Amino acid sequence: MRIGSLADAAGTTPRTVRHYHRLGLLAEPRRLSNGYREYSIDDVVRLMRIRWLADCGMPLGEIATVLGGVPADESDVVADLRALLTGIESQQKLLARKHTRLSALLDDAVERRRLSALPHTVADVLTAAIDAAADADREALTRERDLLEVMAISGTVPASFFETVTATLLDDDRRRRYLGLLRRFSALDGRDPDAVEADIDSLAVDVVSMLDLDPLLSTPPAAGDAPGTSALSIDDIVPDPAQRAVIVRASARLLRRENTRSEGTQ
């Protein structure tokens, strides 16, 4: 049997057969007087077993051990197979998450929705608020939407935070106050933090008093809450020093409030 016939019998190619020879998976056959390789039925069986194990997902480096070509402790084979299964299960979970997200994106595209990592409720409310806003507020709201989307993608906040933002934007009075906070926050862009110390502190107080941000401290993001996780820091998300100072101070106030509540319940 020539190499082409051998490869056809196993559903592979002569190039692959030669590769297996180089790896030592398949022994070199005897050569006829004319120099051609002559394969036997034993070679067919061996090659088909190699292909079967490779199709099962076993790395070529492990196949020789499994087929008995290299002496090994049976426990090593068991451990290797278990490790391979664990890897496949992890890939399946990753593919399942990707499938879910791509299906959601497809639904959004079919419905002509803006593709976004934000939950539908907050995305729709933000889009409506941006469309209805005056020019000065539209820019601030658009930037806010971008920031919220970065937070959603990075997985730095739980879903309950976006529910709070949605409830705020749906309430007329709270939305007006929210827009006022955004205007003041936008006005800090490019300012020297020392020169706007009072504005930073005042805005941090008002942010804490208006938004129910306790979930940010008490509820870590649950598995599946966000599309992914990220090592983004506050410096990455809010690069402006004065604006960043507002976030840092608001967070510090929330932390102190949370610690006070915890001490009161002990």
Side-chain angles (χ1 to χ4, degrees):
M1 182 185 302
R2 301 291 186 266
I3 189 170
S5 299
L6 172 69
D8 289 342
T12 187
T13 65
R15 181 178 181 181
T16 299
V17 174
R18 295 188 186 96
H19 182 56
Y20 292 162
H21 284 321
R22 288 193 294 272
L23 293 177
L25 283 175
L26 189 65
E28 290 281 355
R30 69 185 183 91
R31 290 185 180 271
L32 301 177
S33 58
N34 58 10
Y36 286 110
R37 292 168 172 168
E38 179 66 16
Y39 293 92
S40 67
I41 186 62
D42 291 338
D43 295 315
V44 174
V45 172
R46 174 80 177 188
L47 180 58
M48 293 188 74
R49 284 176 175 165
I50 293 171
R51 296 300 303 157
W52 170 64
L53 289 170
D55 288 342
C56 287
M58 183 170 292
L60 294 179
E62 305 291 337
I63 289 178
T65 300
V66 173
L67 291 180
V70 177
D73 190 329
E74 184 179 350
S75 62
D76 292 338
V77 176
V78 171
D80 289 342
L81 289 172
R82 284 177 174 162
L84 288 171
L85 283 172
T86 299
I88 289 174
E89 289 165 0
S90 297
Q91 292 176 22
Q92 287 175 329
K93 292 177 181 178
L94 177 61
L95 288 173
R97 288 197 297 271
K98 288 183 177 180
H99 184 277
T100 298
R101 294 169 190 167
L102 285 174
S103 296
L105 288 175
L106 176 59
D107 291 341
D108 288 345
V110 170
E111 297 173 7
R112 298 182 180 277
R113 300 171 65 94
R114 180 179 181 273
L115 301 186
S116 172
L118 290 169
H120 281 170
T121 50
V122 69
D124 289 346
V125 170
L126 277 166
T127 297
I130 290 170
D131 291 342
D135 291 342
D137 292 333
R138 186 175 295 116
E139 182 178 351
L141 277 170
T142 300
R143 182 173 297 181
E144 179 75 352
R145 181 176 62 187
D146 292 343
L147 174 60
L148 291 174
E149 187 159 16
V150 168
M151 295 167 69
I153 293 172
S154 66
T156 55
V157 296
S160 54
F161 171 71
F162 297 110
E163 295 169 4
T164 298
V165 174
T166 301
T168 297
L169 291 172
L170 286 174
D171 182 274
D172 290 341
D173 181 58
R174 292 176 66 187
R175 183 172 64 253
R176 283 192 292 270
R177 293 170 57 199
Y178 185 72
L179 289 173
L181 292 178
L182 286 182
R183 293 188 202 107
R184 292 164 60 190
F185 188 76
S186 296
L188 293 175
D189 187 21
R191 303 289 300 277
D192 180 356
D194 293 333
V196 289
E197 168 71 23
D199 294 333
I200 290 172
D201 196 59
S202 173
L203 185 52
V205 171
D206 291 345
V207 167
V208 172
S209 66
M210 178 182 174
L211 295 178
D212 179 15
L213 298 179
D214 284 349
L216 292 179
L217 295 172
S218 58
T219 309
D225 266 1
T229 57
S230 171
L232 283 175
S233 67
I234 185 63
D235 292 2
D236 299 314
I237 297 174
V238 186
D240 183 81
Q243 293 178 335
R244 186 165 61 246
V246 174
I247 304 299
V248 171
R249 292 191 190 186
S251 299
R253 285 180 177 273
L254 286 167
L255 185 58
R256 286 197 297 271
R257 186 170 72 184
E258 186 70 12
N259 290 338
T260 300
R261 288 179 179 178
S262 297
E263 292 171 358
T265 58
Q266 292 177 355

